[in-house]
Amino acid sequence: MQNYYKSAKLDNVCYEIRGEVMREARRLEEEGNRVLKLNIGNPATFELNVPEEIQQDVIYNMQQAQGYVESKGLFSARKAVMHYCQQSGIDKVDIDDIYLGNGVSELIVMSMQAMLNTGDEVLIPAPDYPLWTAAVTLSSGKAVHYHCDEEQNWFPDINDIRKKITHRTRAIVLINPNNPTGAVYSTELLEQVIELARQHNLIVLSDEIYDKILYDGTRHVPTASLADDVLFFTYNGLSKNYRAAGYRSGWMIISGAKHLARDLIVGIDMLSNMRLCSNVPAQLAIQTALGGYQSVNDLVAPGGRLYEQREIAWRMLNDIPGVSCVKPQGALYLFPKLDPKKFPVVNDEKLVLDLLLQEKILLVQGSAFNVDDKQHLRVVFLPRKDTLEDAMGRLGHFLESYRQ
């Protein structure tokens, strides 16, 4: 009989956060091993739970979630997002400019499918959150990665962005606060990107899912709050700020030069209608989350759990000979660098696989985030302090003895 093969559209699609090493971790668990998963920002795994009032509101209103709703989402939830825009300085956002989705991931894929023709280019940071690259590729576009400078706190290199703009470039992606580096961009940097978008008629796609997870008094500036003559797509949701990753509850906001995007918006509406609606129970959480007590502020303040875990993991990583790490100002990750003179890594996937097999610690190799080198790792700092201290100690021991 004839074999069956995957679509050629998937040939260059990659999402290694749940790739081969993750499959090996699953095999180890099936054999009875306990694996510490520092590969994915999944708060519930580490007892960082959805606030009780959000859970209770979803339960109380579950009776309303039995049928389809408007394809863009519940009016009450979208109105809460609209108010959030007003508080954030994103002007002239109407209810119909807001789309609710099964997490930001669905909305990223949906908007790329609506936006891109074959060969259209999208500028994406390197390192990136790899779903962006995968979504562009799956939508027949071409991901063009611009350099983020580790020596400049992982800020995008404006000159590199400028050099990579061509007649095929349709959009530029900003991930702010950044996954995987934890960088939080300045107003000056954002305005420089907006000016490039203005000059070259680009859409600015701003992924702001970590906008409340900020440290050391760092302020997040929504990109779309800085101009109204450029077209912005802003992505956000409940997964990280409200520890509700499993709810799959996100939103996308279209703002700015909407009058130039009428046909594109028709395409997005078409795709939104095709999926009927996103899951309704998760939409019920949005109004309570955005309008209620922001418990994340306690977690990121000095003495708060996320703040202290970041401090421990960052300090212990930098204490490992040959390892350096820029201190993240936002999000849930560290992106340490291994000195190539001490660790001449040829295959970083093999490095994280060896770590998994030897220490039962699961990380993600830096190359999975579309950087050119093999010298980086992404570390999630969600576990409690004692677990993190043990893990960082074991990682240091492993690296000290590691030879590829």
Side-chain angles (χ1 to χ4, degrees):
M1 293 181 66
Q2 180 178 331
N3 292 327
Y4 299 96
Y5 299 96
K6 71 179 185 298
S7 165
K9 295 193 297 293
L10 295 172
D11 285 349
N12 296 309
V13 174
C14 181
Y15 188 77
E16 285 303 311
I17 291 174
R18 290 182 182 262
E20 291 294 333
V21 181
M22 178 66 180
R23 285 188 278 275
E24 182 64 16
R26 193 177 300 120
R27 183 191 68 78
L28 289 171
E29 288 181 320
E30 289 170 354
E31 292 179 353
N33 295 283
R34 183 180 179 184
V35 175
L36 179 59
K37 296 177 181 175
L38 305 184
N39 65 312
I40 191 167
N42 189 12
T45 303
F46 302 103
E47 301 173 317
L48 283 157
N49 298 319
V50 177
E52 181 69 19
E53 65 271 20
I54 297 176
Q55 297 185 47
Q56 290 303 316
D57 207 46
V58 172
I59 293 168
Y60 180 80
N61 291 289
M62 188 64 73
Q63 185 74 15
Q64 303 176 29
Q66 299 181 72
Y68 297 131
V69 298
E70 161 69 33
S71 65
K72 291 184 180 181
L74 285 171
F75 181 87
S76 59
R78 286 187 289 146
K79 188 173 182 180
V81 174
M82 186 179 73
H83 288 160
Y84 189 69
C85 291
Q86 293 167 353
Q87 295 164 5
S88 303
I90 304 175
D91 295 331
K92 300 177 183 177
V93 173
D94 299 322
I95 289 287
D96 283 341
D97 299 326
I98 297 165
Y99 298 76
L100 306 187
N102 296 302
V104 167
S105 300
E106 180 191 44
L107 295 165
I108 290 172
V109 173
M110 190 169 76
S111 53
M112 292 304 95
Q113 288 176 333
M115 187 181 300
L116 300 178
N117 291 311
T118 300
D120 283 350
E121 297 175 357
V122 178
L123 291 162
I124 299 175
D128 69 344
Y129 176 57
L131 175 71
W132 277 104
T133 296
V136 169
T137 304
L138 185 61
S139 302
S140 74
K142 178 183 178 182
V144 178
H145 292 97
Y146 63 82
H147 177 63
C148 294
D149 189 349
E150 190 168 11
E151 300 299 319
Q152 299 296 323
N153 295 316
W154 287 113
F155 272 33
D157 184 332
I158 291 295
N159 289 328
D160 190 56
I161 296 173
R162 184 180 292 109
K163 291 174 185 176
K164 289 176 176 173
I165 296 173
T166 73
H167 71 282
R168 298 304 303 267
T169 308
R170 292 290 310 279
I172 180 167
V173 174
L174 291 169
I175 305 173
N176 178 38
N178 186 266
N179 174 9
T181 67
V184 181
Y185 302 149
S186 66
T187 299
E188 180 184 9
L189 183 280
L190 296 174
E191 288 177 336
Q192 288 177 305
V193 173
I194 290 169
E195 181 57 30
L196 286 179
R198 183 179 290 121
Q199 292 172 8
H200 297 277
N201 198 32
L202 305 181
I203 305 169
V204 177
L205 309 172
S206 194
D207 183 344
E208 302 182 5
I209 192 71
Y210 299 95
D211 68 337
K212 290 182 180 294
I213 303 178
L214 307 166
Y215 310 98
D216 304 326
T218 301
R219 176 173 171 258
H220 174 264
V221 178
T223 312
S225 69
L226 298 175
D228 60 9
D229 62 329
V230 170
L231 184 62
F232 297 95
F233 285 39
T234 302
Y235 305 82
N236 210 324
L238 302 185
S239 292
K240 310 303 182 179
N241 293 334
Y242 301 93
R243 287 82 71 198
Y247 282 29
R248 310 311 302 129
S249 187
W251 55 84
M252 177 176 71
I253 303 155
I254 302 177
S255 66
K258 294 177 287 186
H259 63 285
L260 301 176
R262 292 189 179 99
D263 190 65
L264 172 56
I265 291 170
V266 168
I268 293 171
D269 287 346
M270 185 184 304
L271 293 173
S272 179
N273 292 336
M274 285 169 61
R275 50 146 204 185
L276 296 177
C277 66
S278 64
N279 83 85
V280 181
Q283 296 181 38
L284 296 170
I286 293 174
Q287 185 177 29
T288 301
L290 293 183
Y293 180 69
Q294 303 300 302
S295 57
V296 67
N297 294 335
D298 301 327
L299 295 171
V300 300
R305 184 175 159 185
L306 290 178
Y307 179 95
E308 297 302 327
Q309 289 165 189
R310 178 198 63 148
E311 291 292 300
I312 288 168
W314 174 76
R315 174 176 51 79
M316 293 189 70
L317 282 170
N318 280 295
D319 284 345
I320 300 171
V323 177
S324 61
C325 183
V326 176
K327 196 171 193 178
Q329 296 303 300
L332 305 170
Y333 315 100
L334 298 134
F335 202 59
K337 180 179 182 179
L338 309 182
D339 185 343
K341 295 178 181 178
K342 185 174 179 62
F343 306 105
V345 179
V346 177
N347 184 337
D348 57 352
E349 184 176 20
K350 181 179 184 302
L351 184 147
V352 298
L353 179 59
D354 289 345
L355 173 66
L356 172 66
L357 294 173
Q358 181 174 316
E359 297 292 342
K360 307 301 184 291
I361 297 173
L362 180 59
L363 303 182
V364 184
Q365 66 273 20
S367 60
F369 301 92
N370 292 295
V371 292
D372 292 333
D373 65 70
K374 307 293 184 182
Q375 302 302 133
H376 288 87
L377 303 168
R378 191 184 74 165
V379 180
V380 173
F381 57 83
L382 285 171
R384 292 189 182 275
K385 290 192 292 184
D386 55 346
T387 303
L388 267 181
E389 288 173 345
D390 177 66
M392 295 302 99
R394 287 157 57 197
L395 174 62
H397 175 76
F398 168 81
L399 290 174
E400 280 294 301
S401 61
Y402 186 75
R403 294 291 182 272
Q404 190 162 328

